[in-house]
């Protein structure tokens, strides 16, 4: 952004400088031309009155200026004297506009292309007392030459202004960005009040949006921590309760085995809860930064089937994987968790002797079950951490309430979309659609 800002300011500076130079040049040229006209008139008038005062005997060759052409024209148009041309070969000048106008009005100033020199020339002509016309002229090319001598200075000024534009652009960009660069540090302060800080008002909506997100995140984190403590407490209370019964000798001989079994189950639940929590926080930390490699989802589905088969068989559930190879660029471990959690849920929330069908390809993997289904009003929330439709069912089947959160994270990391179709008492189909790039 800083670079873009600087460049824009620099271009602005350069364009304004060039435009200023061009327009100033045009204005100066105009002023210069009118100055030349007044000088020419003054010179012509002085010359004609000196002429008349000396009874037309002024030695013209000696007094004429190098850049100014002087012509004397007889009333019939014959050129009597010309400071640059050879009078003998010169054509009749009666048709020259300035001569015509001088004859009519006494004097005139004009400019046109000279028939003799071919240059764009300025002319002043005046009718003298003896009927002769005195004409003085100077060439526009002389003006341009004078103008041309200014070009090196103009170039130097232009280069100097360009350097100034670069320096100003850099300095101004830095100045402009100071409040924006200070912002992250200021926002770390919990008492930060955007409307009282030195901040561009245009940024206030963005800042309040960021603050809202941050507050939401903090709330979510606090809620998560509260949920985690609660979830950990439940099995630990039960473990410590049963252990105490055994320790005090209050458990009957035949109950001890049962209690030990419960303690083992609760401990297993604790372990899977802790591993899910750790996994989620790992996924939170490394959002989208891990390297990706080709992973075949069909192979992963068959591997998950192998490891879930004992659970399925225990409940008489038929677990099938069909479809085709689907290789995507991703993280093997995360994708494994995605497929495993979907299949695990499809078994756990199934009815006895039901079935689970996993279909892979061409851009998706879908897991369908013949289970209890998910009521419409819960469907949007089941991907939240610790959200369960039926807490006791989830617990009884060894759920942690975090499986679908991990699925959601894993899908997001692979820019995949999750589609959910479910009918109560009929079954659920969860489909993960991957972008094929
Ligand atoms: P849990 O460990 O409780 O299964 P999940 O995050 O995996 O947690 O799922 C959240 C909730 O979504 C579950 O408690 C359950 O109510 C519901 N659910 C998930 N998968 C299915 C499914 N295939 N059929 C019915 N309900 C499901």
């Amino acid at each position: 952004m800083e670079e873009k800002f600087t460049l824009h300011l620099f271009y602005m500076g350069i364009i304004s400088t060039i435009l200023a130079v061009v327009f100033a040049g045009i204005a100066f040229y105009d002023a210069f031309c009118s100055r030349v006209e007044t000088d020419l008139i003054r010179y012509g008038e002085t010359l004609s009155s000196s002429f008349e005062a000396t009874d037309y005997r002024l030695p013209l060759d000696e007094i004429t200026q190098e850049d100014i052409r002087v012509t004397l024209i007889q009333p019939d148009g014959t050129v009597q004297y010309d400071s640059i041309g050879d009078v003998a070969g010169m054509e009749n000048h009666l048709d020259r506009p300035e001569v015509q106008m001088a004859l009519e009005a006494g004097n005139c100033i004009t400019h046109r292309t000279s028939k003799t020199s071919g240059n764009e020339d300025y002319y002043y002509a005046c009718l003298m007392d003896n009927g002769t016309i005195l004409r003085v002229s100077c060439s526009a090319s002389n003006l341009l030459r004078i103008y041309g001598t200014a070009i090196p200075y103009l170039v130097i000024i232009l280069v100097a202004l360009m350097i100034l534009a670069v320096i100003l652009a850099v300095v101004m960009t830095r100045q402009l960005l100071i409040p924006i660069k200070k912002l992250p540090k200021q926002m770390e302060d919990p008492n930060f009040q955007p409307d009282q800080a030195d901040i561009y008002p245009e940024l206030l909506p963005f800042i309040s949006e960021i603050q809202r997100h941050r507050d939401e995140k903090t709330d979510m984190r606090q809620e998560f921590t509260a949920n985690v403590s609660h979830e950990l407490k439940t099995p630990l209370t039960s473990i410590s309760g049963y252990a105490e019964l055994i320790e005090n000798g209050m458990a009957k001989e035949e109950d001890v085995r049962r209690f030990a079994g419960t303690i083992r189950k609760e401990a297993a639940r604790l372990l899977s809860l802790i591993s899910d929590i750790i996994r989620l926080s790992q996924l939170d930390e490394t959002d989208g930064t891990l390297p990706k490699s080709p992973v075949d989802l069909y192979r992963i589905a068959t591997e998950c089937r192998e490891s879930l088969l004992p659970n399925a068989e225990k409940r008489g559930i038929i677990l099938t994987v069909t479809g085709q190879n689907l290789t995507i660029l991703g993280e093997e471990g995360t994708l494994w968790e995605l497929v495993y959690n979907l299949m695990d849920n499809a078994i756990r929330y199934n009815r006895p002797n039901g079935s689970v069908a996993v279909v892979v390809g061409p851009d998706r993997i879908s897991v369908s079950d013949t289970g209890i289904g998910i009521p419409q009003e819960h469907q949007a929330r089941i991907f939240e951490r610790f959200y369960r439709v039926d807490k006791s069912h989830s617990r009884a089947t060894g759920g942690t309430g975090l499986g679908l959160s991990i699925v959601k994270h894993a899908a997001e990391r692979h820019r995949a979309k999750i589609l959910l179709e479910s009918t109560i008492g009929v079954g659920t189909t969860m489909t993960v659609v991957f972008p094929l790039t």
Side-chain angles (χ1 to χ4, degrees), residues 69 84 90 93 96 111-123 135 137-142 144:
R69 178 183 171 198
I84 60 159
M90 245 177 221
H93 268 44
R96 300 297 194 268
H111 63 98
R112 63 177 172 80
T113 311
S114 161
K115 285 188 184 163
T116 316
S117 65
N119 290 331
E120 172 78 6
D121 285 349
Y122 284 80
Y123 293 95
R135 187 184 72 172
S137 72
C138 77
S139 170
S141 63
N142 291 343
L144 283 177

Side-chain angles (χ1 to χ4, degrees), residues 345-346 348-349 369 372-374 382 387-390 394 399-405 428 430:
N345 281 354
R348 288 195 294 117
Y349 298 102
D369 63 53
I372 57 175
I374 305 161
I382 52 166
Y387 192 88
R388 298 148 164 134
V389 176
D390 176 351
S394 159
T400 60
L402 294 174
L404 286 183
S405 305
T428 302
M430 295 247 189

Side-chain angles (χ1 to χ4, degrees), residues 73-78 94 99 103 127 130-133:
I73 302 149
Q74 303 252 312
D76 63 355
T78 318
L94 201 60
V99 175
L103 280 173
L127 184 62
N130 66 350
T132 323
I133 290 152

